[in-house]
Amino acid sequence: MKDKKKIAILGSTGSIGTQALEVIEEHSDLYEAYVLTANRQADLLIQQARKFQPAQVVIADESRYAYVKEALDDLPIQVYTGVDALCQIVQNDEVDIVLTALVGFAGLRPTVAAIQSHKMIALANKETLVVAGELVTRMAMENHSAILPVDSEHSAIFQSLMGEQSEIEKIILTASGGPFRKYTLDELRTVTPEMALQHPNWDMGAKITIDSATMMNKGFEVIEAKWLFGVDADRIQVVVHPQSVVHSAVQFRDGAVKAQLGVPDMRVPIQLAFSYPYRLASSFDRLDWYKMHDLTFEEPDLGKFRCLALAFEALRQGGTMPCVVNAANEVVNLAFRQGQCGFMQMPEIIERTMQKATFIKQPTLDDYFLCDAQARHIAQELIN
Ligand code: NDP
C-alpha cells in the first residue's frame, strides 16, 4: 500500500487549518497531519495534537511552550516553540505538503524555508505572494517547488486552466463585495468592527473578514493572481458577484470563458490542493441548480472601496510597494478591530504610508523585512 502523504499545517488552529484537518479526517487513508502549529491558542493545539497524533507541534508564542509541552508529555510528540522552529519544521524530510494557513507577513519566512526544501506548497497565506510574489515564485521555479492555490478564487482559476495550453486573455476574479456593498460613503463611516466581522457568505478568520469588508482582500487576490498565473494587472478584472457561486473564471483568446462554480466551502480547494491532479470524493454540500435564481455580476466601486484601488496601484508600482501596503494594512486592520481607527481611516492611513515609505524597485528578501518593519512603524505613528 502507498504511504500516506504527510502534511504540515502551519496555522492548524485557524479557520483554514481546522477545515484542513476535517479534510484529513475524511481521507485518513491518504493523508496524515504530521506537523501542527499555532500562535497562541494552546488549548486547541493540544486538543488537535491528542486527536491527530502528529509527530511534531509548534506553539509560536514562547510563553505557552511549557504548558503545551507538559500537556503532551505522555505522547510521542515533539514540541517546539518560536518562529525559527516554524522554518525548521517544514524542512523535515518526512513532510510532503506544507499548507501555509497562518495569517499575515508571518507566513513569508516559513514558506520560503519550505520552498528551499523543495516541498509542495498548498498556499492559503496570500500575504506571502502579496509581499514578495516575484521573489517567491522565482524561488519556487528554481527549487522545483509547486505552489498550489488554496484561496477559492485562485483554485477556481487553476481549475479553469486544467488541460489548457492556450494563453490567458483575461482573468475574471469574482468578489462577494462584502457586507457593505450597498452602503453610501456616509454609511461606511459608521461601520463598527462587530458589523464588519459578519461576512455574508464565508466564515473566516478575523483579519481576512475585515479585509473582505474593505475589499483589500480582493486587491491582495489580484496581486496573488498576477504571481500565480503570470498575468498583468490590466488583464485581471474584478467582478462583484454577491452570491459567491462562481468562484472565478478565465477568458481565453477565442473569447471562451471557463469558470468553476460551487457551494462556498473552503474544504473543496483545500482538498484539491492536497489531491491534485486527482479529485477525491467528498460529502460536502452540492449546488442546487433549481434554487439559484439570481446570479448577478457588477462593477466594484473603487471610489467607495479605496483599498482595492490602492492594491492595484501598488501592483503597478511593483518593488516593495505591495509589501508596504500589506504591512500598513495589517496595522490598520488590527487597529480597527481594537477600536483605534475608523473603517474609512484604514485606506487613508495605508495611502499615506505608501507616500512616506522608502521604495526599493528590486528588493532582496532582507529588504522586504526592513520594508515591512518601516511601513508598520509609519502606519502606527499615523494612527497614534
Ligand atoms: P485565522 O486567523 O483563522 O488563523 C490563523 C492561524 O495562524 C492560526 O492558527 C493562528 O494561531 C496562526 N498564526 C497567526 N499569527 C501567527 C504568527 N505570527 N505566527 C505563527 N502562527 C500564527 O486565519 P484564516 O485561517 O482565516 O486565514 C489564514 C490564511 O489563509 C490567511 O492568509 C488568509 O488570507 C488565507 N485565506 C483564508 C480563507 C478563509 O476562508 N479563512 C480563504 C482564503 C484565504 P492562533 O490560533 O494560535 O492564533
Side-chain angles (χ1 to χ4, degrees):
M1 203 181 85
K2 194 189 159 306
D3 283 347
K4 292 181 191 181
K5 276 192 188 161
K6 296 187 171 73
I7 302 181
I9 305 183
L10 305 186
S12 63
T13 49
S15 161
I16 293 288
T18 48
Q19 292 179 84
L21 285 172
E22 286 174 34
V23 170
I24 291 177
E25 197 171 7
E26 179 144 336
H27 297 286
S28 55
D29 53 329
L30 297 173
Y31 306 115
E32 175 185 336
Y34 190 81
V35 175
L36 299 178
T37 84
N39 189 29
R40 298 171 61 85
Q41 287 203 73
D43 287 319
L44 182 53
L45 181 66
I46 291 163
Q47 196 186 315
Q48 292 178 339
R50 298 201 79 85
K51 179 169 177 184
F52 288 91
Q53 308 264 328
Q56 298 165 328
V57 300
V58 180
I59 180 86
D61 180 345
E62 296 182 13
S63 70
R64 289 163 205 232
Y65 168 72
Y67 180 70
V68 177
K69 173 99 178 100
E70 198 186 323
L72 297 176
D73 230 13
D74 58 323
L75 296 171
I77 299 175
Q78 292 166 320
V79 182
Y80 301 101
T81 187
V83 179
D84 289 343
L86 286 177
C87 296
Q88 282 157 15
I89 216 156
V90 296
Q91 301 194 315
N92 186 324
D93 284 345
E94 293 288 319
V95 171
D96 296 303
I97 301 174
V98 177
L99 171 65
T100 64
L102 34 67
V103 65
F105 184 84
L108 178 60
R109 274 186 61 200
T111 308
V112 166
I115 289 172
Q116 284 168 336
S117 295
H118 320 290
K119 301 297 180 193
M120 179 178 276
I121 313 291
L123 186 119
N125 179 257
K126 65 188 82 184
E127 293 90 344
T128 290
L129 288 185
V130 171
V131 168
E134 200 268 333
L135 185 134
V136 167
T137 48
R138 181 161 33 84
M139 280 181 77
M141 291 260 278
E142 287 166 3
N143 286 281
H144 307 286
S145 173
I147 301 182
L148 292 163
V150 166
D151 221 342
S152 60
E153 291 79 0
H154 303 76
S155 179
I157 296 161
F158 184 72
Q159 291 176 61
S160 302
L161 290 170
M162 279 186 191
E164 294 289 344
Q165 313 275 318
S166 320
E167 203 185 309
I168 298 172
E169 186 170 81
K170 187 166 87 173
I171 284 177
I172 297 102
L173 192 70
T174 54
S176 72
F180 312 123
R181 183 170 54 93
K182 297 203 161 153
Y183 276 39
T184 62
L185 272 175
D186 279 343
E187 286 170 332
L188 283 175
R189 286 191 188 95
T190 67
V191 167
T192 63
E194 293 71 32
M195 290 157 76
L197 284 167
Q198 303 297 324
H199 193 276
N201 303 341
W202 299 93
D203 183 13
M204 308 179 287
K207 192 241 173 197
I208 186 177
T209 305
I210 301 299
D211 285 347
S212 298
T214 61
M215 290 196 78
M216 182 55 95
N217 181 52
K218 207 48 56 180
F220 283 172
E221 288 179 7
V222 171
I223 301 175
E224 188 184 3
K226 176 197 159 98
W227 295 116
L228 282 174
F229 305 110
V231 170
D232 283 336
D234 56 3
R235 288 195 292 136
I236 303 173
Q237 181 178 19
V238 174
V239 176
V240 175
H241 167 49
Q243 299 79 20
S244 297
V245 167
V246 177
H247 295 316
S248 279
V250 178
Q251 181 173 305
F252 295 95
R253 61 200 301 203
D254 57 355
V257 178
K258 275 170 75 179
Q260 186 258 332
L261 286 69
V263 173
D265 185 337
M266 285 310 295
R267 291 172 302 177
V268 177
I270 293 169
Q271 177 169 300
L272 183 67
F274 290 169
S275 69
Y276 180 79
Y278 307 104
R279 287 184 190 272
L280 302 176
S282 87
S283 58
F284 314 146
D285 287 348
R286 276 24 182 186
L287 280 181
D288 183 342
W289 289 84
Y290 292 150
K291 289 201 177 132
M292 289 192 294
H293 303 299
D294 300 304
L295 291 188
T296 58
F297 302 92
E298 59 196 65
E299 196 176 342
D301 186 335
L302 296 186
K304 276 196 310 190
F305 295 97
R306 290 278 304 138
C307 285
L308 178 55
L310 293 174
F312 266 107
E313 177 55 28
L315 185 54
R316 273 188 211 101
Q317 292 191 35
T320 46
M321 201 50 89
C323 177
V324 170
V325 170
N326 178 70
N329 182 61
E330 286 192 31
V331 171
V332 294
N333 182 308
L334 183 64
F336 172 68
R337 277 182 277 151
Q338 294 177 337
Q340 291 156 9
C341 87
F343 190 78
M344 292 306 278
Q345 278 177 297
M346 288 192 273
E348 273 173 37
I349 292 167
I350 294 167
E351 188 163 16
R352 286 174 64 197
T353 307
M354 289 168 77
Q355 289 157 359
K356 286 178 162 228
T358 312
F359 177 72
I360 303 171
K361 186 70 192 166
Q362 287 183 320
T364 62
L365 187 58
D366 287 343
D367 290 332
Y368 286 118
F369 285 92
L370 293 173
C371 165
D372 175 76
Q374 189 205 36
R376 277 171 202 271
H377 181 72
I378 295 170
Q380 196 58 57
E381 295 246 290
L382 289 167
I383 291 170
N384 296 343

